[in-house]
Structure formats: C-alpha cells, structure tokens
Amino acid sequence: MKRFKDQFRDNILVIMTIFIMLIIVLTIKTFDYMITNQQDDDIQQLSGFIMNSIENSVSAEDLIQNYLVEILENVTYQVEEDLSGVELSTIDVNFLEEIKSRYKLSEVALFRKLENDIIIETSTAEHEIGLSTKDWGFWYDAFSQLLDDKEVTVGKGISKGRFWAGPRSLAYGQDGYYIFTYYKLENQPYLLNLYVDDMNAFGLVKKNDPNALLKNILDESEFIHEIAVINVEAWNDRFTEEKRAHLQDFTVEYGAYSAFTAHDTYYLNKINSMGLNSSIKKSVTIEGKEYTKIYKKLRNDQAIIFLIDDSDKEYLKRRMIWIILGGLLLICITGFFMVFSYTKSYSELLKLERKRLKIANEYRHTVQILPSIILRLVKNRDNIIVKHCEGKALSELGIDASSAHDKLLEEVLPKDYYKLAVEGISQACKNREYIFEHSFNKKVYENKVQLIADISDEHIQEIIIFANDITRIRESEDKAKYLAYHDNLTDLPNRLCLKERVEALIKEMDRHFIMCFIDLDGFKEINDTAGHDVGDKLLKAMADRISGLADNDDFAARIGGDEFAYIFMDIDSDSQIKEKVDNLSKIIAAPFTIDGQSYSLTSSIGVSRFPKDALSYNELIKKSDLAMYEIKDNGKDGFKIFTSEEMV
C-alpha cells in the first residue's frame, strides 16, 4: 500500500496533466457542439422567416400579376388599333418607343417566325433585337402556337385566344421580374410583345421582397456566404437544356447561387421528397476553399440552399478555443464547478436573449402588416381578461373596443371564436406559438396566439392575439388551384388533372379501368372553314356531352386541341368495353347545332386497359394513343382495343 502511495505521489504531475488535457478536449468538443447547434438553430429560424416572407410576397405578386395581365390585355387591343393601317415591316425602334411612352410600358417588341426559329425582329430593348427564341422551352412552343393562329396550350401562364401572358419571369439582360404578354396580330406574321416590371407596380411587393430579407441576412451573418431559394421542378426541367451561366435565370427564385456542384441535382430532389423543414448537410470544396452546404425543404417544390463558409466558422472556433484555454488556467485555480455554473448561467442568458429578440422581431413584423384585430390579454389562473383591443375588423365581430377593457374574454368574443381562442391561449402558455383560422360573416381570419411575457406572479401570464383578414388569399388559392387543373375553354379537367387522377387509381391497385384516347375526326376542317369561334363552341358542346356520360367514378378530360380522354371504371371484359366505347362513339357522332348550323363529327378512339395492358399512366396513354392511330390509318370513325401488335 505504501509503495502504491509513493508511486501515486511521484506521478501526480502526470496525472494532473492528463486530467487537464482531458478537460481541454472535452471543453473543445463541447464548444464545437454548441457552435454547430447554435448554427443549426439559426438556420432553422432563418428558414422560417424566409418562408413567411416568400408566402407574403407570393400573395402580393399573385394579386399584382392578375391585375397587370388584365391591364396589358386592354393595352394590347389599344396598341393593335394604333398599328391598324401601318406596314409592320417598316416599323422601327422610334415607333415602338412612342408606344412604350404612351402606355407607360417597360419595353415593346415584335416577334417574327423564320424557317426554323422565331426571332425578336425589333424592340425598344436594343440588346434583344435579332435574339433567337428557339431554345426557350415552353415559351417557344407558345410563340409557335400563336403564330399558327392557335390558342396556347403549354399549361403555363394565362391564355385567351390570340393573347397569352407568360408566367412571371426574369427579363433577358435586365434586372427584376416582369409580366410578359404576347398577341398574334390579325392577318400579320408578327407577335406583339408588351411587358412591365411588376416589382415597381406597387410598393407592397418591394416591402415584402424576400430578396431584401436575404440580403439583410447575408450582411449581418458572419458565416453564411450565399442563400438561394431554388425551384426544384424548374431545376430539373432546365438543367440539361441551359448553360450553367444562365441557370439561375430559371431556377433561383430568390437570392443568388454561384456555388454549383455536381451533386446539387441529387440533393435538391432528395430534400424535395422529404417533409417540410427537413435538411441535408454536406461538406464541399469550391476553388480550394472548404464550405458546408445545407439543403432545406420549403413548400411548393421549393428548397433553400445555405452556403456556409467554414473558414469563418473555424476562425471563430479557434478564437473562442484560445479564450477558453486561457480561461481554463485560471478556472483550474478556482475550481471546475465554478466554470460549470458560469457556463450554464451564460447559456441560459443567451437563450433568453435570443427568445426576446425573436419575439420582438415577430412583433415588429406583425405591427408592420397592420393586423385586422389585436387583442392583448392577461390570463390569471382560469380567468382571461381583455386589457387592450383594436383593429378595423372589431366591428364586424360586434366588439366595442371602448367597453371591452378589463372584461372577461368570453364576454367580449362570439362563442365559436372564444372556444378557438382559449385553445390557442392554452398552447401559447406552454411557450408554443399557435395559429388557427376563424371564419365569420363570409370572411376568413388567420389568428396568431403568442405568449409575450410572464408577469412576476407565476399564475399570471400575458398573451397577444393578432388576426389578419386572409379571405382574398384563400379565394386566390382556390381559383389558382382550379385553373391549374382545368381546361380554360371547356372547364373539363386538363392533362395534369387526368395524370394525377389516374396515378392515384393505379396506386390503389384494387380496381380495373380503361383509358379511352379520343381524337375528333373532321374537327380541323370545321375549325378552318367555319372559324375558331364556331370551333370553340363545338368543343364546349362536345365537352358537355362527353362529361354528361360520366356516372359513378367515370372521368372525362380534355388533353389537347381536339383530343379528349375518358376513364371507364370497373370494366373487366372486352364485351363490356365494346358496349361502353360504342355508346361513347354514338354520343360523339350525334349532330350539333351551332349558331343555327348543324355540324357532325366522328371519332377515332384507342383503348388501353389497367392492369392488363400497362401499370403506369404514361404507358396507358402511349398504348391508347397507338390504338387510336391504328383507327386513323384505317379510315377513322371507330375504336380499337390495344393489342401487342401495335408495339411492333
């Protein structure tokens, strides 16, 4: 035992050195963990701010875009009158500048079709003159349809006969987002192109511009190098078609992104398939410098990429580590427990300060957007007392602000609103932000309930409720969803709606059905001879007739100019198919009366069967299309069930 004590005394310096080194290593690891967690918390909080900013901006942009499209459509018709009697081939830039100035447009241009291209023949934006549009994707398809005197069917933007407004986009060689419209001048081989800068249309967009938020974040952050909100669907569509130098024109919705790497497409699609607010973190080396990329999932096929400069992080870590190491020499004198106590107190203070700043920022943001109702409440045990209320919507709820002070909340609010508010208050008192919607008098209000502060008495808490009128936003969302899934002319479900419906049926795998690909024989001749107005009326009448056939779960859609699709559910045998499709052919062939004139059409119908012929939407469409062309090639006016011979 004595020998053991002597050895311990002789090696005390070694033991103390090992102990101190262990403390140093544990401290470094702990600090690294704290920095990483703090960074992750900051990224999570920033993502929430960015998503809220995008939602506010998109709501404003949708209203502005619809408003501007209506204005540009009216201006287009006025410009067409101005061009009446003018030889368009003689029009120069000065003439277009007069139109631009007269109608307060951003730019004006004329497009003309060449043999294998469509070019900008003249424009008030001189850098655009002579520009080819052949590689512009669906824009080029839309231009081609308009120049062929057809209605645009690319499934994007707003189409009205010879007028088409493309989706809000960046302008070639210019800053800012624009609304572009195109109009086929009657009896002329030209497209009239008018566009305006929607960012300058109203102060509302600039006020809520996410780009300004991203710039402020970059200016204030010590470790974030780039932030970009990516449209993943656009990324996938354009990545192989455009040069990387121009990639962000189509995919980066907000912010800027120059740090392209080979793995971006994989990780963007992976994060897009995950749940909201999911994240993926990857280390990358760009031009010999170490970075970390954080991919986070937003809404509506959006992902956000944070490019973290690890050199700043490493510098901060080294600086703080040296501070900690220097402090350890002193802390070892006063004891380990004092260090632990100080660190814990500091962490709690930091957490409280961060929480205070977050609430203050959210309060400032809420006040700036002028809520419809503000309620400041005090919860004292089971009683909720109104301390302050204001807002333009109080009268709609029957609330008198002057008499509500110091009353119980249940005496002030309508009964259904009170029940929802109490649930929100209960959640807020657990330090959880709570949001609920309340409908009243045909209006929809979004309510945000938040704990502001704990009063010194532990049984008393202060809560604030902000209510905003979001009726127009909800109506706009419903309208946009309907337009996205329905054909503008016939109101039938469109190709996208058909695809999603069929894919849902395939996923269930418990019902048989057939897909009929319908092509109207002779429609083109009627459309060319009787005119497009008659053709449109004929298509509407045909859509009403076909959709009227549907019963139970049967489903009709318009998928092209004179092409329709029809899904018959729960059909197993060929005899049933022949009976159903023969009836469909007879209904189509019955005469129509349009403007006092009788018209008759026949149809070529191809049929594919699920699951017998195919197990996917694309294969079902392909095989029914092949069967339909077999009928076309053999004289039209009939139907055919797909067989494997068509694949040869």
Side-chain angles (χ1 to χ4, degrees):
M1 178 64 69
K2 183 178 179 181
R3 183 179 179 185
F4 175 77
K5 290 181 178 178
D6 291 340
Q7 288 178 345
F8 180 80
R9 186 177 60 251
D10 293 340
N11 295 315
I12 186 67
L13 183 59
V14 175
I15 294 172
M16 287 296 295
T17 302
I18 293 174
F19 182 71
I20 292 174
M21 291 300 296
L22 182 61
I23 292 176
I24 292 173
V25 170
L26 289 175
T27 304
I28 292 173
K29 291 292 185 182
T30 301
F31 185 73
D32 183 65
Y33 176 78
M34 290 174 61
I35 288 180
T36 302
N37 278 358
Q38 178 65 46
Q39 190 179 89
D40 291 343
D41 289 345
D42 290 344
I43 292 295
Q44 181 70 22
Q45 183 175 336
L46 290 174
S47 298
F49 284 144
I50 292 168
M51 185 155 53
N52 288 336
S53 177
I54 290 172
E55 289 175 349
N56 290 338
S57 177
V58 168
S59 299
E61 289 164 6
D62 287 344
L63 294 174
I64 290 172
Q65 179 168 343
N66 292 334
Y67 177 71
L68 291 180
V69 168
E70 290 183 9
I71 292 176
L72 286 173
E73 184 180 4
N74 291 330
V75 170
T76 295
Y77 300 142
Q78 295 177 38
V79 172
E80 184 180 31
E81 293 181 4
D82 295 341
L83 297 176
S84 177
V86 178
E87 178 59 46
L88 297 186
S89 62
T90 65
I91 290 178
D92 57 11
V93 173
N94 293 332
F95 189 92
L96 296 184
E97 286 287 354
E98 292 179 7
I99 294 176
K100 170 183 169 181
S101 175
R102 185 183 312 155
Y103 296 106
K104 296 180 174 57
L105 302 168
S106 294
E107 304 294 350
V108 183
L110 289 176
F111 286 52
R112 183 170 63 87
K113 186 173 184 179
L114 298 180
E115 291 183 1
N116 296 312
D117 199 353
I118 297 173
I119 67 166
I120 302 177
E121 183 161 284
T122 184
S123 171
T124 53
E126 295 184 7
H127 63 278
E128 291 184 347
I129 297 175
L131 192 65
S132 168
T133 66
K134 190 173 184 179
D135 296 326
W136 287 17
F138 71 85
W139 295 85
Y140 181 79
D141 296 337
F143 300 158
S144 299
Q145 291 177 344
L146 287 172
L147 286 169
D148 290 339
D149 290 316
K150 297 178 180 178
E151 186 170 355
V152 174
T153 59
V154 296
K156 297 179 183 290
I158 300 172
S159 179
K160 297 181 180 180
R162 289 185 285 135
F163 176 85
W164 178 65
R168 178 174 172 271
S169 300
L170 292 166
Y172 181 85
Q174 299 187 50
D175 294 328
Y177 288 89
Y178 292 79
I179 300 297
F180 296 86
T181 64
Y182 303 87
Y183 181 73
K184 170 62 167 64
L185 295 168
E186 189 171 8
N187 299 321
Q188 295 285 348
Y190 290 96
L191 286 183
L192 175 62
N193 169 217
L194 310 178
Y195 60 98
V196 294
D197 180 356
D198 74 344
M199 294 294 286
N200 292 321
F202 297 103
L204 179 62
V205 175
K206 282 192 172 181
K207 181 179 178 181
N208 294 285
D209 183 14
N211 286 301
L213 174 63
L214 297 185
K215 184 178 184 302
N216 288 337
I217 291 171
L218 290 174
D219 291 342
E220 296 175 6
S221 174
E222 295 183 0
F223 61 91
I224 301 176
H225 188 68
E226 281 188 345
I227 309 176
V229 177
I230 305 294
N231 185 308
V232 180
E233 181 181 5
W235 180 286
N236 292 331
D237 288 344
R238 298 292 182 180
F239 186 80
T240 57
E241 299 177 14
E242 303 294 339
K243 297 179 180 178
R244 282 192 172 181
H246 301 296
L247 190 58
Q248 73 180 57
D249 289 349
F250 300 93
T251 63
V252 179
E253 295 188 344
Y254 305 102
Y257 188 55
S258 60
F260 298 101
T261 57
H263 301 294
D264 280 339
T265 300
Y266 171 78
Y267 289 118
L268 282 170
N269 281 280
K270 184 175 181 180
I271 197 65
N272 196 43
S273 67
M274 298 168 69
L276 191 64
N277 287 328
S278 299
S279 63
I280 297 174
K281 185 184 295 186
K282 292 294 174 183
S283 297
V284 295
T285 302
I286 301 175
E287 296 182 353
K289 195 172 182 179
E290 297 299 321
Y291 294 90
T292 296
K293 283 188 180 181
I294 299 177
Y295 305 83
K296 289 192 68 66
K297 165 73 173 178
L298 297 181
R299 297 192 179 106
N300 303 324
D301 286 324
Q302 288 178 324
I304 186 168
I305 298 180
F306 291 90
L307 184 66
I308 309 301
D309 190 337
D310 288 341
S311 62
D312 292 340
K313 178 182 174 183
E314 291 301 321
Y315 171 75
L316 179 62
K317 284 171 59 178
R318 287 194 300 271
R319 186 176 65 181
M320 293 304 297
I321 287 169
W322 279 112
I323 293 172
I324 291 174
L325 290 177
L328 276 174
L329 296 175
L330 299 175
I331 291 169
C332 286
I333 299 172
T334 58
F336 173 79
F337 291 102
M338 185 179 292
V339 176
F340 178 79
S341 175
Y342 175 79
T343 305
K344 183 177 180 181
S345 299
Y346 179 78
S347 298
E348 289 297 324
L349 287 173
L350 191 62
K351 185 186 296 183
L352 289 173
E353 179 66 11
R354 196 160 58 241
K355 180 179 177 181
R356 186 189 69 77
L357 289 174
K358 178 182 177 183
I359 292 174
N361 284 335
E362 292 186 355
Y363 180 82
R364 265 199 311 273
H365 175 71
T366 307
V367 170
Q368 287 173 354
I369 61 175
L370 298 177
S372 302
I373 299 173
I374 300 176
L375 294 172
R376 186 167 63 84
L377 314 169
V378 171
K379 184 175 185 294
N380 185 354
R381 297 184 184 275
D382 296 330
N383 294 324
I384 303 172
I385 302 169
V386 178
K387 286 299 181 182
H388 177 75
C389 64
E390 63 176 292
K392 57 190 176 183
L394 287 176
S395 60
E396 296 179 7
L397 293 170
I399 299 174
D400 182 2
S402 60
S403 64
H405 185 71
D406 285 337
K407 282 190 175 181
L408 293 175
L409 184 63
E410 61 183 319
E411 298 175 354
V412 174
L413 295 184
K415 186 177 294 184
D416 57 340
Y417 189 11
Y418 172 73
K419 290 180 180 179
L420 294 171
V422 168
E423 173 63 22
I425 292 167
S426 174
Q427 295 297 325
C429 289
K430 299 174 185 176
N431 288 325
R432 299 174 185 168
E433 180 180 282
Y434 189 80
I435 296 175
F436 67 90
E437 290 188 6
H438 170 244
S439 298
F440 186 83
N441 198 20
K442 297 183 179 180
K443 288 190 175 183
V444 182
Y445 296 91
E446 182 183 71
N447 297 262
K448 184 175 182 181
V449 189
Q450 194 166 343
L451 180 68
I452 294 300
D454 288 326
I455 301 175
S456 57
D457 189 332
E458 63 179 1
H459 300 295
I460 300 177
Q461 294 169 304
E462 187 173 347
I463 301 101
I464 193 162
I465 300 178
F466 299 107
N468 286 286
D469 184 352
I470 59 171
T471 307
R472 296 186 67 181
I473 294 175
R474 289 289 177 265
E475 290 174 349
S476 178
E477 289 173 351
D478 293 342
K479 183 178 179 181
K481 184 175 181 181
Y482 182 85
L483 292 174
Y485 283 92
H486 289 79
D487 175 55
N488 290 336
L489 178 64
T490 65
D491 278 338
L492 279 181
N494 59 17
R495 183 183 287 269
L496 175 61
C497 185
L498 173 70
K499 181 176 184 292
E500 293 190 4
R501 178 71 176 273
V502 170
E503 287 178 345
L505 290 171
I506 291 172
K507 189 174 182 180
E508 293 174 6
M509 288 293 292
D510 60 352
R511 299 178 69 181
H512 294 191
F513 62 88
I514 65 168
M515 175 179 288
C516 300
F517 193 113
I518 307 166
D519 186 271
L520 302 180
D521 304 327
F523 174 78
K524 186 177 185 305
E525 289 78 5
I526 294 175
N527 200 46
D528 291 342
T529 56
H532 295 297
D533 289 343
V534 171
D536 288 348
K537 291 177 182 179
L538 186 56
L539 288 174
K540 290 180 182 178
M542 182 66 74
D544 291 341
R545 185 178 288 181
I546 293 175
S547 60
L549 177 65
D551 57 0
N552 298 327
D553 295 332
D554 292 350
F555 184 68
R558 183 187 179 204
I559 58 177
D562 59 354
E563 295 175 342
F564 294 81
Y566 198 97
I567 303 297
F568 284 107
M569 297 299 303
D570 302 322
I571 293 182
D572 295 316
S573 66
D574 286 355
S575 61
Q576 287 181 299
I577 294 174
K578 291 177 181 178
E579 178 184 349
K580 291 284 188 179
V581 180
D582 184 59
N583 186 38
L584 176 62
S585 299
K586 290 177 181 177
I587 287 175
I588 293 173
F592 292 88
T593 301
I594 307 294
D595 296 338
Q597 181 69 37
S598 179
Y599 298 95
S600 294
L601 294 170
T602 60
S603 60
S604 298
I605 304 176
V607 180
S608 59
R609 298 159 291 187
F610 175 83
K612 183 175 182 179
D613 295 327
L615 296 175
S616 71
Y617 167 79
N618 289 335
E619 284 297 313
L620 284 169
I621 278 283
K622 178 181 178 181
K623 291 180 177 179
S624 59
D625 187 40
L626 288 170
M628 182 273 290
Y629 272 105
E630 183 75 14
I631 295 297
K632 284 282 190 185
D633 293 340
N634 287 282
K636 305 179 181 180
D637 189 15
F639 66 88
K640 180 174 176 56
I641 302 173
F642 172 81
T643 59
S644 58
E645 286 78 8
E646 273 90 47
M647 296 297 291
V648 179

